Amino acid sequence: MSTALLTTQELGITINDRPILKSLNLSFNPGTFVAITGPSGSGKTTLLRTLAGELEPVEGKVVNYLDCPTRLAMIFQDLKLGDGATALTNVLGGSLGRHSFLSTLFRFPAQEQEKAHRLLAKFGLSGKSNQWTSTLSRGEKQRVAACRTLLTQPQLLLADEPVSSLDPALAEEILTNLSNSILKQNGCLVCALHNDEQVTKFADLVLRLDPSDPNGWMLEDLKPKEVG
Amino acid sequence: MKPELPWHSRFDLLGITFLIFLLGALGALPSIEGSGRDLDYWGNLSRFTSQFFPPDWSILNRTLEGLLETVQIALVSTLLSIVISIVLSVGAARTIAPVWLLWPTRMILNVIRTIPSLLWALLAVVIVGSNPLAGVIALTFYSVGYLAKFFSETFEAADTDAQQALRSLGASPLQAFQFGLWPNARPIIWSHCLWMLEYNVRSASIIGYVGAGGIGLHLKLYAESADSWNKFSLVLLFILLIVTVLDFTGEKIRKSIRDKLEGQKI
Protein backbone atom coordinates (compact mmCIF):
# COMPACT_ATOMS: atom_id res chain seq x y z
CA MET A 1 0.00 0.00 0.00
CA SER A 2 1.27 3.44 -0.89
CA THR A 3 2.02 5.97 1.83
CA ALA A 4 -0.76 8.28 2.88
CA LEU A 5 -0.69 11.98 1.94
CA LEU A 6 -2.55 13.02 5.05
CA THR A 7 -3.83 11.19 8.10
CA THR A 8 -6.05 12.09 10.99
CA GLN A 9 -5.36 10.64 14.40
CA GLU A 10 -8.19 10.54 16.93
CA LEU A 11 -9.45 13.77 15.36
CA GLY A 12 -12.30 15.56 17.07
CA ILE A 13 -13.92 18.80 15.93
CA THR A 14 -16.61 21.08 17.28
CA ILE A 15 -18.62 24.00 15.96
CA ASN A 16 -19.33 26.63 18.64
CA ASP A 17 -18.59 24.03 21.33
CA ARG A 18 -21.10 21.60 19.76
CA PRO A 19 -19.23 18.33 19.11
CA ILE A 20 -19.40 17.32 15.43
CA LEU A 21 -17.25 14.24 15.36
CA LYS A 22 -14.63 12.49 17.43
CA SER A 23 -12.09 9.68 17.22
CA LEU A 24 -11.67 9.98 13.46
CA ASN A 25 -8.75 7.88 12.22
CA LEU A 26 -8.48 8.13 8.50
CA SER A 27 -5.75 8.02 5.86
CA PHE A 28 -6.00 9.97 2.64
CA ASN A 29 -4.16 7.81 0.15
CA PRO A 30 -2.90 8.56 -3.36
CA GLY A 31 -5.34 7.67 -6.11
CA THR A 32 -8.39 7.85 -3.87
CA PHE A 33 -11.61 9.82 -4.22
CA VAL A 34 -13.00 10.47 -0.76
CA ALA A 35 -16.52 11.86 -0.54
CA ILE A 36 -17.74 13.63 2.57
CA THR A 37 -21.51 13.70 2.88
CA GLY A 38 -24.00 14.75 5.49
CA PRO A 39 -26.85 17.18 6.01
CA SER A 40 -26.25 20.93 5.92
CA GLY A 41 -24.60 22.15 9.09
CA SER A 42 -23.17 18.71 9.85
CA GLY A 43 -19.63 20.09 9.74
CA LYS A 44 -18.35 19.26 6.25
CA THR A 45 -16.75 22.66 5.73
CA THR A 46 -15.28 22.71 9.24
CA LEU A 47 -13.78 19.25 8.69
CA LEU A 48 -12.27 20.30 5.34
CA ARG A 49 -10.80 23.46 6.85
CA THR A 50 -9.35 21.43 9.70
CA LEU A 51 -7.78 19.02 7.20
CA ALA A 52 -6.37 22.02 5.29
CA GLY A 53 -4.72 23.25 8.47
CA GLU A 54 -6.78 26.44 8.59
CA LEU A 55 -8.44 25.43 11.85
CA GLU A 56 -6.82 23.78 14.85
CA PRO A 57 -8.40 20.45 15.81
CA VAL A 58 -10.00 20.34 19.24
CA GLU A 59 -8.78 16.78 19.85
CA GLY A 60 -6.26 14.59 18.13
CA LYS A 61 -4.28 15.83 15.16
CA VAL A 62 -3.95 16.05 11.41
CA VAL A 63 -0.62 14.88 10.03
CA ASN A 64 0.45 16.21 6.66
CA TYR A 65 2.94 14.06 4.74
CA LEU A 66 3.08 16.25 1.62
CA ASP A 67 6.58 17.42 0.78
CA CYS A 68 5.41 20.99 0.11
CA PRO A 69 2.47 22.82 1.76
CA THR A 70 1.23 24.22 -1.57
CA ARG A 71 0.57 20.72 -2.81
CA LEU A 72 -2.57 20.89 -0.69
CA ALA A 73 -5.20 23.20 -2.17
CA MET A 74 -8.82 23.95 -1.55
CA ILE A 75 -11.84 24.88 -3.63
CA PHE A 76 -13.82 27.12 -1.32
CA GLN A 77 -17.56 26.82 -0.95
CA ASP A 78 -17.90 30.61 -1.17
CA LEU A 79 -15.44 30.60 -4.10
CA LYS A 80 -13.51 33.72 -3.05
CA LEU A 81 -12.89 35.04 -6.57
CA GLY A 82 -11.78 38.53 -7.58
CA ASP A 83 -14.95 40.03 -9.07
CA GLY A 84 -13.30 42.84 -11.01
CA ALA A 85 -10.76 40.52 -12.67
CA THR A 86 -11.33 38.36 -15.73
CA ALA A 87 -11.96 34.64 -15.44
CA LEU A 88 -8.50 34.04 -16.93
CA THR A 89 -6.73 36.24 -14.37
CA ASN A 90 -8.58 34.53 -11.56
CA VAL A 91 -7.49 31.13 -12.82
CA LEU A 92 -3.91 32.34 -13.25
CA GLY A 93 -3.99 33.32 -9.56
CA GLY A 94 -3.49 29.61 -8.90
CA SER A 95 -0.02 29.76 -10.43
CA LEU A 96 1.24 32.62 -8.23
CA GLY A 97 2.88 30.28 -5.73
CA ARG A 98 5.35 29.20 -8.41
CA HIS A 99 6.47 32.68 -9.45
CA SER A 100 8.01 35.73 -7.86
CA PHE A 101 6.19 39.07 -7.59
CA LEU A 102 8.27 40.65 -10.36
CA SER A 103 7.77 37.83 -12.84
CA THR A 104 3.97 38.16 -12.60
CA LEU A 105 3.83 41.94 -12.14
CA PHE A 106 2.96 42.80 -15.75
CA ARG A 107 2.02 39.47 -17.27
CA PHE A 108 1.98 35.81 -16.49
CA PRO A 109 4.55 33.46 -18.03
CA ALA A 110 3.37 32.08 -21.38
CA GLN A 111 3.30 28.46 -20.26
CA GLU A 112 1.02 29.34 -17.32
CA GLN A 113 -1.32 31.22 -19.63
CA GLU A 114 -1.44 28.22 -21.89
CA LYS A 115 -2.24 25.89 -18.99
CA ALA A 116 -4.95 28.28 -17.76
CA HIS A 117 -6.53 28.42 -21.22
CA ARG A 118 -6.47 24.64 -21.44
CA LEU A 119 -8.16 24.30 -18.06
CA LEU A 120 -10.85 26.84 -18.94
CA ALA A 121 -11.51 24.98 -22.20
CA LYS A 122 -11.75 21.69 -20.35
CA PHE A 123 -14.36 23.18 -18.04
CA GLY A 124 -16.34 24.65 -20.94
CA LEU A 125 -15.42 28.27 -20.29
CA SER A 126 -13.22 29.16 -23.31
CA GLY A 127 -15.67 31.79 -24.51
CA LYS A 128 -15.77 33.46 -21.09
CA SER A 129 -12.08 33.73 -20.29
CA ASN A 130 -11.90 37.50 -20.85
CA GLN A 131 -15.15 38.33 -19.08
CA TRP A 132 -15.17 39.91 -15.64
CA THR A 133 -15.95 37.26 -13.07
CA SER A 134 -18.76 39.40 -11.67
CA THR A 135 -20.64 38.93 -14.96
CA LEU A 136 -20.54 35.12 -14.79
CA SER A 137 -23.31 32.92 -13.42
CA ARG A 138 -22.84 31.11 -10.12
CA GLY A 139 -22.20 27.82 -11.92
CA GLU A 140 -19.58 29.44 -14.14
CA LYS A 141 -17.87 31.07 -11.17
CA GLN A 142 -17.78 27.70 -9.47
CA ARG A 143 -15.89 26.29 -12.45
CA VAL A 144 -13.49 29.26 -12.50
CA ALA A 145 -12.71 28.58 -8.82
CA ALA A 146 -12.10 24.90 -9.64
CA CYS A 147 -9.74 25.85 -12.50
CA ARG A 148 -7.82 28.24 -10.24
CA THR A 149 -7.27 25.57 -7.62
CA LEU A 150 -6.30 22.95 -10.25
CA LEU A 151 -3.67 25.32 -11.64
CA THR A 152 -1.82 25.13 -8.32
CA GLN A 153 -1.27 21.49 -9.33
CA PRO A 154 -2.30 20.08 -5.98
CA GLN A 155 -1.58 16.56 -4.84
CA LEU A 156 -4.31 16.69 -2.26
CA LEU A 157 -7.38 18.65 -3.36
CA LEU A 158 -10.06 19.52 -0.84
CA ALA A 159 -13.21 20.59 -2.64
CA ASP A 160 -16.11 22.06 -0.67
CA GLU A 161 -19.24 21.29 -2.68
CA PRO A 162 -17.60 22.09 -6.01
CA VAL A 163 -20.64 21.22 -8.11
CA SER A 164 -23.52 22.44 -5.94
CA SER A 165 -24.75 25.02 -8.48
CA LEU A 166 -24.44 22.90 -11.61
CA ASP A 167 -27.03 20.80 -13.38
CA PRO A 168 -26.50 17.03 -12.97
CA ALA A 169 -24.95 16.41 -16.40
CA LEU A 170 -22.46 19.26 -16.05
CA ALA A 171 -21.77 18.32 -12.43
CA GLU A 172 -20.74 14.82 -13.50
CA GLU A 173 -18.54 16.23 -16.24
CA ILE A 174 -16.79 18.53 -13.78
CA LEU A 175 -16.34 15.76 -11.21
CA THR A 176 -14.90 13.54 -13.96
CA ASN A 177 -12.47 16.34 -14.87
CA LEU A 178 -11.48 16.91 -11.26
CA SER A 179 -10.94 13.26 -10.48
CA ASN A 180 -9.06 12.70 -13.75
CA SER A 181 -6.71 15.61 -13.08
CA ILE A 182 -5.99 14.59 -9.50
CA LEU A 183 -6.18 10.81 -9.42
CA LYS A 184 -4.17 10.26 -12.59
CA GLN A 185 -1.26 12.07 -10.98
CA ASN A 186 -1.62 9.84 -7.98
CA GLY A 187 -3.17 12.57 -5.88
CA CYS A 188 -6.11 12.37 -3.54
CA LEU A 189 -9.40 14.19 -4.04
CA VAL A 190 -11.59 14.95 -1.04
CA CYS A 191 -14.99 16.28 -2.02
CA ALA A 192 -17.94 17.42 0.06
CA LEU A 193 -20.96 16.25 -1.94
CA HIS A 194 -24.72 16.33 -1.50
CA ASN A 195 -25.88 14.08 -4.31
CA ASP A 196 -25.89 10.33 -3.54
CA GLU A 197 -25.72 9.38 -7.20
CA GLN A 198 -22.52 11.35 -7.64
CA VAL A 199 -21.14 9.76 -4.50
CA THR A 200 -21.73 6.19 -5.68
CA LYS A 201 -20.49 6.95 -9.16
CA PHE A 202 -17.21 8.64 -8.23
CA ALA A 203 -16.17 7.94 -4.67
CA ASP A 204 -13.91 5.14 -3.47
CA LEU A 205 -14.55 5.96 0.13
CA VAL A 206 -17.44 7.79 1.78
CA LEU A 207 -17.24 9.55 5.08
CA ARG A 208 -20.79 10.16 6.23
CA LEU A 209 -21.18 12.81 8.91
CA ASP A 210 -24.13 11.59 10.89
CA PRO A 211 -25.29 13.36 14.05
CA SER A 212 -27.09 10.19 15.21
CA ASP A 213 -23.88 8.18 15.35
CA PRO A 214 -22.08 8.23 18.72
CA ASN A 215 -18.82 9.31 17.06
CA GLY A 216 -20.59 11.50 14.52
CA TRP A 217 -19.32 9.64 11.46
CA MET A 218 -19.51 6.42 9.47
CA LEU A 219 -17.07 5.17 6.88
CA GLU A 220 -18.14 3.25 3.82
CA ASP A 221 -15.79 1.61 1.37
CA LEU A 222 -17.26 1.63 -2.12
CA LYS A 223 -14.43 -0.24 -3.81
CA PRO A 224 -14.77 -2.00 -6.18
CA LYS A 225 -17.02 0.51 -7.91
CA GLU A 226 -20.16 -0.75 -9.59
CA VAL A 227 -19.89 1.79 -12.38
CA GLY A 228 -16.60 2.25 -14.14
CA MET B 1 -47.98 41.94 19.81
CA LYS B 2 -45.33 44.33 18.60
CA PRO B 3 -42.75 45.04 21.28
CA GLU B 4 -42.49 48.76 22.00
CA LEU B 5 -39.01 50.17 21.45
CA PRO B 6 -37.88 52.71 24.04
CA TRP B 7 -38.22 56.27 22.68
CA HIS B 8 -34.48 56.93 22.72
CA SER B 9 -33.65 53.90 20.57
CA ARG B 10 -34.22 55.85 17.38
CA PHE B 11 -31.42 58.24 18.33
CA ASP B 12 -28.56 56.27 16.87
CA LEU B 13 -25.35 57.94 15.73
CA LEU B 14 -26.86 58.85 12.35
CA GLY B 15 -30.01 60.32 13.87
CA ILE B 16 -28.08 62.40 16.39
CA THR B 17 -25.70 63.68 13.74
CA PHE B 18 -28.62 64.79 11.60
CA LEU B 19 -30.28 66.46 14.57
CA ILE B 20 -27.11 68.39 15.43
CA PHE B 21 -26.77 69.44 11.79
CA LEU B 22 -30.35 70.66 11.66
CA LEU B 23 -30.06 72.60 14.94
CA GLY B 24 -26.76 74.10 13.81
CA ALA B 25 -28.18 75.27 10.49
CA LEU B 26 -31.31 76.79 12.05
CA GLY B 27 -29.25 78.40 14.82
CA ALA B 28 -26.99 79.99 12.22
CA LEU B 29 -29.87 81.74 10.44
CA PRO B 30 -30.03 84.88 12.65
CA SER B 31 -26.33 85.65 12.09
CA ILE B 32 -26.68 85.57 8.30
CA GLU B 33 -27.75 89.10 7.49
CA GLY B 34 -27.36 91.55 4.65
CA SER B 35 -25.73 94.97 4.68
CA GLY B 36 -28.80 96.53 6.25
CA ARG B 37 -29.09 99.11 3.50
CA ASP B 38 -32.24 99.28 1.51
CA LEU B 39 -31.11 97.96 -1.86
CA ASP B 40 -33.15 97.14 -4.92
CA TYR B 41 -32.09 93.50 -5.06
CA TRP B 42 -34.10 92.55 -8.15
CA GLY B 43 -33.16 95.70 -10.02
CA ASN B 44 -29.46 95.13 -9.34
CA LEU B 45 -29.69 91.54 -10.44
CA SER B 46 -31.50 92.22 -13.69
CA ARG B 47 -29.25 95.18 -14.60
CA PHE B 48 -26.14 93.09 -13.98
CA THR B 49 -27.27 89.94 -15.77
CA SER B 50 -28.55 91.88 -18.77
CA GLN B 51 -24.93 92.87 -19.46
CA PHE B 52 -24.14 89.18 -20.00
CA PHE B 53 -26.32 88.99 -23.10
CA PRO B 54 -25.78 88.43 -25.91
CA PRO B 55 -22.43 86.61 -25.49
CA ASP B 56 -19.60 88.10 -27.57
CA TRP B 57 -18.56 85.45 -30.11
CA SER B 58 -15.61 87.48 -31.44
CA ILE B 59 -13.35 85.97 -28.77
CA LEU B 60 -14.24 82.38 -29.70
CA ASN B 61 -10.73 81.35 -30.81
CA ARG B 62 -9.00 82.80 -27.79
CA THR B 63 -11.54 81.12 -25.53
CA LEU B 64 -11.03 77.73 -27.16
CA GLU B 65 -7.26 78.04 -26.68
CA GLY B 66 -7.78 78.87 -23.00
CA LEU B 67 -10.13 75.93 -22.61
CA LEU B 68 -7.63 73.57 -24.20
CA GLU B 69 -4.99 74.71 -21.72
CA THR B 70 -7.48 74.25 -18.87
CA VAL B 71 -8.25 70.69 -19.92
CA GLN B 72 -4.54 69.96 -20.34
CA ILE B 73 -3.83 71.20 -16.81
CA ALA B 74 -6.65 69.02 -15.50
CA LEU B 75 -5.44 65.93 -17.38
CA VAL B 76 -1.82 66.18 -16.27
CA SER B 77 -2.62 66.99 -12.66
CA THR B 78 -5.19 64.19 -12.44
CA LEU B 79 -2.69 61.66 -13.79
CA LEU B 80 0.01 62.79 -11.36
CA SER B 81 -2.37 62.77 -8.43
CA ILE B 82 -3.61 59.25 -9.26
CA VAL B 83 -0.07 57.88 -9.18
CA ILE B 84 0.79 59.63 -5.91
CA SER B 85 -2.57 58.77 -4.36
CA ILE B 86 -2.28 55.04 -5.02
CA VAL B 87 1.00 54.95 -3.12
CA LEU B 88 -0.27 57.15 -0.26
CA SER B 89 -3.63 55.40 0.01
CA VAL B 90 -1.99 52.07 0.78
CA GLY B 91 -0.34 53.82 3.73
CA ALA B 92 -3.67 55.29 4.82
CA ALA B 93 -5.74 52.08 4.61
CA ARG B 94 -6.42 50.56 8.02
CA THR B 95 -6.62 47.05 6.54
CA ILE B 96 -3.20 47.28 4.87
CA ALA B 97 -0.86 49.69 6.65
CA PRO B 98 0.66 49.28 10.12
CA VAL B 99 -0.37 51.86 12.71
CA TRP B 100 2.94 53.77 12.70
CA LEU B 101 2.41 54.50 9.00
CA LEU B 102 -1.37 54.90 9.13
CA TRP B 103 -1.66 58.00 11.31
CA PRO B 104 1.18 60.08 9.83
CA THR B 105 -0.17 59.41 6.31
CA ARG B 106 -3.69 60.34 7.32
CA MET B 107 -2.42 63.47 9.04
CA ILE B 108 -0.58 64.57 5.88
CA LEU B 109 -3.73 64.01 3.84
CA ASN B 110 -5.77 66.04 6.35
CA VAL B 111 -3.34 68.92 6.06
CA ILE B 112 -3.46 68.77 2.25
CA ARG B 113 -7.26 68.76 2.29
CA THR B 114 -7.41 71.72 4.63
CA ILE B 115 -5.86 74.02 2.01
CA PRO B 116 -8.35 75.11 -0.67
CA SER B 117 -7.40 74.79 -4.34
CA LEU B 118 -7.15 78.55 -4.84
CA LEU B 119 -4.61 78.78 -2.03
CA TRP B 120 -2.60 75.92 -3.53
CA ALA B 121 -2.64 77.88 -6.79
CA LEU B 122 -1.38 81.03 -5.07
CA LEU B 123 1.40 79.06 -3.41
CA ALA B 124 2.42 77.45 -6.68
CA VAL B 125 2.38 80.79 -8.53
CA VAL B 126 4.65 82.27 -5.87
CA ILE B 127 7.08 79.36 -6.30
CA VAL B 128 7.14 78.65 -10.06
CA GLY B 129 5.65 81.84 -11.44
CA SER B 130 2.49 82.56 -13.33
CA ASN B 131 2.13 79.71 -15.82
CA PRO B 132 0.26 76.44 -16.43
CA LEU B 133 2.90 74.51 -14.45
CA ALA B 134 1.70 76.31 -11.35
CA GLY B 135 -1.80 75.07 -12.14
CA VAL B 136 -0.61 71.50 -12.49
CA ILE B 137 1.27 71.64 -9.18
CA ALA B 138 -1.66 73.22 -7.35
CA LEU B 139 -4.29 70.80 -8.61
CA THR B 140 -2.02 67.78 -8.11
CA PHE B 141 -1.62 68.58 -4.41
CA TYR B 142 -5.26 69.42 -4.02
CA SER B 143 -6.44 66.20 -5.71
CA VAL B 144 -4.08 63.97 -3.76
CA GLY B 145 -5.77 65.06 -0.54
CA TYR B 146 -9.08 63.73 -1.80
CA LEU B 147 -8.10 60.84 -4.06
CA ALA B 148 -5.81 59.21 -1.52
CA LYS B 149 -8.59 59.34 1.05
CA PHE B 150 -11.12 57.86 -1.40
CA PHE B 151 -8.68 55.16 -2.49
CA SER B 152 -7.81 54.13 1.04
CA GLU B 153 -11.49 53.91 1.93
CA THR B 154 -12.05 51.78 -1.17
CA PHE B 155 -9.27 49.42 -0.15
CA GLU B 156 -10.72 49.18 3.35
CA ALA B 157 -14.19 48.37 2.02
CA ALA B 158 -13.10 45.96 -0.72
CA ASP B 159 -13.84 42.26 -0.40
CA THR B 160 -10.74 40.55 0.99
CA ASP B 161 -11.92 36.98 0.32
CA ALA B 162 -10.03 36.63 -2.94
CA GLN B 163 -6.89 37.98 -1.30
CA GLN B 164 -7.10 35.37 1.46
CA ALA B 165 -7.84 32.61 -1.03
CA LEU B 166 -4.76 33.47 -3.08
CA ARG B 167 -2.62 33.56 0.07
CA SER B 168 -3.79 30.06 0.93
CA LEU B 169 -3.06 28.91 -2.62
CA GLY B 170 0.56 30.00 -2.28
CA ALA B 171 0.69 33.63 -3.44
CA SER B 172 2.94 36.15 -1.66
CA PRO B 173 1.29 39.11 0.15
CA LEU B 174 2.11 41.50 -2.71
CA GLN B 175 0.77 39.07 -5.32
CA ALA B 176 -2.37 38.52 -3.26
CA PHE B 177 -2.86 42.30 -3.16
CA GLN B 178 -2.33 42.67 -6.91
CA PHE B 179 -4.57 39.81 -7.98
CA GLY B 180 -6.95 39.49 -5.02
CA LEU B 181 -7.68 42.93 -3.58
CA TRP B 182 -6.81 45.29 -6.45
CA PRO B 183 -9.30 43.77 -8.96
CA ASN B 184 -12.11 44.25 -6.44
CA ALA B 185 -11.11 47.83 -5.64
CA ARG B 186 -10.16 48.88 -9.17
CA PRO B 187 -13.62 49.64 -10.62
CA ILE B 188 -14.45 51.93 -7.70
CA ILE B 189 -11.02 53.53 -7.90
CA TRP B 190 -11.45 54.28 -11.61
CA SER B 191 -14.79 55.86 -10.97
CA HIS B 192 -13.20 58.09 -8.30
CA CYS B 193 -10.50 59.06 -10.82
CA LEU B 194 -13.14 60.02 -13.35
CA TRP B 195 -14.90 62.17 -10.77
CA MET B 196 -11.59 63.83 -9.90
CA LEU B 197 -10.94 64.61 -13.56
CA GLU B 198 -14.33 66.30 -13.85
CA TYR B 199 -13.64 68.20 -10.68
CA ASN B 200 -10.19 69.26 -11.84
CA VAL B 201 -11.54 70.66 -15.11
CA ARG B 202 -13.87 72.82 -13.03
CA SER B 203 -11.03 73.82 -10.65
CA ALA B 204 -8.61 74.43 -13.52
CA SER B 205 -11.02 76.97 -14.93
CA ILE B 206 -10.91 79.06 -11.78
CA ILE B 207 -7.26 78.85 -10.63
CA GLY B 208 -6.23 81.01 -13.61
CA TYR B 209 -7.78 83.82 -11.61
CA VAL B 210 -4.63 83.91 -9.50
CA GLY B 211 -2.36 83.29 -12.49
CA ALA B 212 -2.05 79.52 -12.52
CA GLY B 213 -2.89 79.09 -16.21
CA GLY B 214 -6.06 78.15 -18.04
CA ILE B 215 -9.29 79.93 -18.83
CA GLY B 216 -9.51 81.55 -15.39
CA LEU B 217 -7.15 84.30 -16.48
CA HIS B 218 -9.58 85.25 -19.26
CA LEU B 219 -12.40 85.36 -16.70
CA LYS B 220 -10.36 87.69 -14.51
CA LEU B 221 -9.51 90.04 -17.38
CA TYR B 222 -13.09 90.26 -18.60
CA ALA B 223 -14.44 90.73 -15.08
CA GLU B 224 -12.04 93.58 -14.39
CA SER B 225 -12.40 95.52 -17.64
CA ALA B 226 -15.44 97.63 -18.26
CA ASP B 227 -18.27 96.38 -20.48
CA SER B 228 -16.80 92.91 -20.94
CA TRP B 229 -19.50 90.93 -19.20
CA ASN B 230 -20.71 89.65 -22.57
CA LYS B 231 -17.23 88.17 -23.15
CA PHE B 232 -17.29 86.77 -19.62
CA SER B 233 -20.59 85.07 -20.39
CA LEU B 234 -19.19 83.38 -23.50
CA VAL B 235 -16.39 81.88 -21.43
CA LEU B 236 -18.89 80.70 -18.82
CA LEU B 237 -20.99 79.20 -21.58
CA PHE B 238 -18.06 77.12 -22.80
CA ILE B 239 -17.08 76.03 -19.29
CA LEU B 240 -20.66 74.92 -18.79
CA LEU B 241 -20.53 73.04 -22.08
CA ILE B 242 -17.34 71.17 -21.28
CA VAL B 243 -18.41 70.35 -17.72
CA THR B 244 -21.73 69.03 -19.00
CA VAL B 245 -20.04 66.84 -21.59
CA LEU B 246 -17.68 65.47 -18.92
CA ASP B 247 -20.51 64.91 -16.49
CA PHE B 248 -22.52 63.06 -19.11
CA THR B 249 -19.71 60.78 -20.30
CA GLY B 250 -18.54 60.21 -16.73
CA GLU B 251 -22.01 59.10 -15.72
CA LYS B 252 -22.20 56.74 -18.73
CA ILE B 253 -18.87 55.13 -17.90
CA ARG B 254 -19.71 54.83 -14.21
CA LYS B 255 -23.02 53.20 -15.05
CA SER B 256 -21.38 50.64 -17.29
CA ILE B 257 -18.87 49.82 -14.54
CA ARG B 258 -21.72 49.44 -12.05
CA ASP B 259 -23.68 47.17 -14.37
CA LYS B 260 -20.65 45.04 -15.02
CA LEU B 261 -19.89 44.70 -11.32
CA GLU B 262 -23.40 43.81 -10.32
CA GLY B 263 -23.38 41.19 -13.05
CA GLN B 264 -25.75 38.27 -12.98
CA LYS B 265 -27.09 37.81 -9.50
CA ILE B 266 -28.26 34.26 -8.87
Side-chain angles (χ1 to χ4, degrees):
Chain A
M1 189 181 136
S2 45
T3 22
L5 303 173
L6 191 92
T7 60
T8 64
Q9 296 168 6
E10 292 295 316
L11 180 70
I13 59 174
T14 59
I15 299 180
N16 300 331
D17 297 328
R18 179 168 56 94
I20 295 299
L21 55 81
K22 57 179 184 183
S23 312
L24 179 66
N25 291 301
L26 192 59
S27 298
F28 296 90
N29 294 320
T32 325
F33 189 127
V34 183
I36 300 179
T37 66
S40 297
S42 61
K44 298 187 291 291
T45 300
T46 311
L47 175 59
L48 283 173
R49 291 181 63 194
T50 311
L51 293 178
E54 270 182 49
L55 299 176
E56 281 295 315
V58 183
E59 292 165 21
K61 55 181 176 177
V62 176
V63 187
N64 188 331
Y65 295 103
L66 297 165
D67 28 299
C68 171
T70 57
R71 301 302 306 275
L72 182 156
M74 191 151 171
I75 300 177
F76 304 93
Q77 191 176 17
D78 52 351
L79 309 182
K80 301 184 193 285
L81 296 169
D83 277 342
T86 62
L88 181 66
T89 310
N90 267 295
V91 174
L92 281 166
S95 74
L96 289 172
R98 290 192 286 275
H99 301 284
S100 70
F101 173 67
L102 285 180
S103 60
T104 57
L105 182 56
F106 297 110
R107 54 175 314 175
F108 283 91
Q111 83 268 18
E112 299 291 4
Q113 295 205 25
E114 205 178 295
K115 278 186 212 160
H117 275 299
R118 229 180 296 139
L119 274 172
L120 282 166
K122 213 163 145 190
F123 282 77
L125 290 169
S126 319
K128 310 263 178 178
S129 57
N130 287 322
Q131 243 171 278
W132 274 15
T133 310
S134 58
T135 64
L136 301 177
S137 71
R138 164 84 194 175
E140 287 165 341
K141 286 183 191 172
Q142 211 165 23
R143 282 178 278 161
V144 170
C147 289
R148 178 178 68 182
T149 304
L150 278 183
L151 193 63
T152 64
Q153 299 169 346
Q155 204 174 1
L156 177 61
L157 175 61
L158 307 174
D160 198 353
E161 305 196 9
V163 293
S164 59
S165 306
L166 303 173
D167 62 76
L170 192 55
E172 291 210 351
E173 201 185 316
I174 299 309
L175 283 175
T176 311
N177 272 334
L178 282 177
S179 66
N180 280 349
S181 325
I182 300 295
L183 303 188
K184 276 202 182 131
Q185 298 177 16
N186 225 11
C188 174
L189 177 59
V190 184
C191 237
L193 290 175
H194 260 304
N195 182 320
D196 280 333
E197 256 175 63
Q198 290 165 1
V199 173
T200 40
K201 182 157 181 190
F202 288 97
D204 304 309
L205 200 63
V206 190
L207 179 66
R208 290 191 197 281
L209 301 186
D210 183 355
S212 62
D213 187 272
N215 280 339
W217 57 274
M218 285 186 295
L219 203 60
E220 209 176 312
D221 199 344
L222 295 183
K223 268 184 194 170
K225 284 194 260 181
E226 309 139 59
V227 191
Chain B
M1 206 181 93
K2 213 170 110 185
E4 277 290 318
L5 287 170
W7 63 271
H8 53 81
S9 70
R10 68 182 65 178
F11 288 101
D12 53 2
L13 186 61
L14 217 65
I16 289 176
T17 317
F18 183 71
L19 201 66
I20 292 175
F21 158 73
L22 208 63
L23 287 175
L26 291 175
L29 273 182
S31 53
I32 311 290
E33 50 190 25
S35 63
R37 284 184 293 160
D38 187 17
L39 294 174
D40 177 9
Y41 292 155
W42 288 113
N44 287 345
L45 183 66
S46 62
R47 228 174 308 121
F48 183 57
T49 46
S50 67
Q51 294 176 41
F52 279 58
F53 296 100
D56 181 354
W57 288 85
S58 63
I59 53 155
L60 181 63
N61 282 342
R62 242 186 303 157
T63 306
L64 289 179
E65 277 168 32
L67 273 177
L68 180 66
E69 192 177 88
T70 306
V71 173
Q72 285 168 334
I73 292 173
L75 284 172
V76 176
S77 57
T78 308
L79 177 68
L80 286 175
S81 62
I82 290 171
V83 175
I84 300 172
S85 297
I86 285 179
V87 178
L88 281 180
S89 64
V90 174
R94 196 184 295 279
T95 44
I96 304 173
V99 182
W100 58 264
L101 186 63
L102 186 72
W103 292 109
T105 320
R106 288 192 171 185
M107 206 57 227
I108 293 174
L109 294 180
N110 282 344
V111 171
I112 294 180
R113 268 202 310 280
T114 309
I115 304 175
S117 58
L118 214 55
L119 196 57
W120 279 117
L122 267 174
L123 265 172
V125 168
V126 169
I127 297 167
V128 301
S130 176
N131 51 45
L133 178 64
V136 170
I137 294 174
L139 288 187
T140 302
F141 271 96
Y142 182 73
S143 319
V144 162
Y146 285 91
L147 274 190
K149 183 179 165 66
F150 291 158
F151 289 0
S152 67
E153 278 173 5
T154 309
F155 284 135
E156 284 174 5
D159 186 359
T160 53
D161 273 2
Q163 195 184 11
Q164 288 162 10
L166 288 179
R167 286 288 286 142
S168 88
L169 293 176
S172 72
L174 274 176
Q175 287 173 324
F177 173 80
Q178 186 189 356
F179 295 101
L181 191 65
W182 175 246
N184 288 342
R186 191 185 48 186
I188 317 282
I189 284 190
W190 283 158
S191 100
H192 285 317
C193 294
L194 212 58
W195 177 85
M196 201 72 232
L197 180 65
E198 282 172 47
Y199 191 96
N200 276 343
V201 170
R202 267 182 282 245
S203 296
S205 30
I206 195 64
I207 53 170
Y209 223 92
V210 294
I215 197 81
L217 182 64
H218 301 219
L219 282 179
K220 180 183 158 82
L221 293 178
Y222 298 140
E224 285 172 356
S225 58
D227 297 333
S228 291
W229 289 110
N230 53 350
K231 296 191 172 89
F232 192 90
S233 68
L234 185 87
V235 175
L236 280 188
L237 194 68
F238 272 88
I239 294 177
L240 175 69
L241 188 75
I242 204 156
V243 167
T244 310
V245 169
L246 269 173
D247 198 49
F248 184 73
T249 44
E251 188 49 42
K252 282 257 175 229
I253 296 173
R254 270 193 293 270
K255 185 176 176 334
S256 92
I257 291 178
R258 250 197 329 270
D259 289 351
K260 231 176 155 184
L261 262 188
E262 278 166 16
Q264 289 171 275
K265 287 274 155 69
I266 292 183

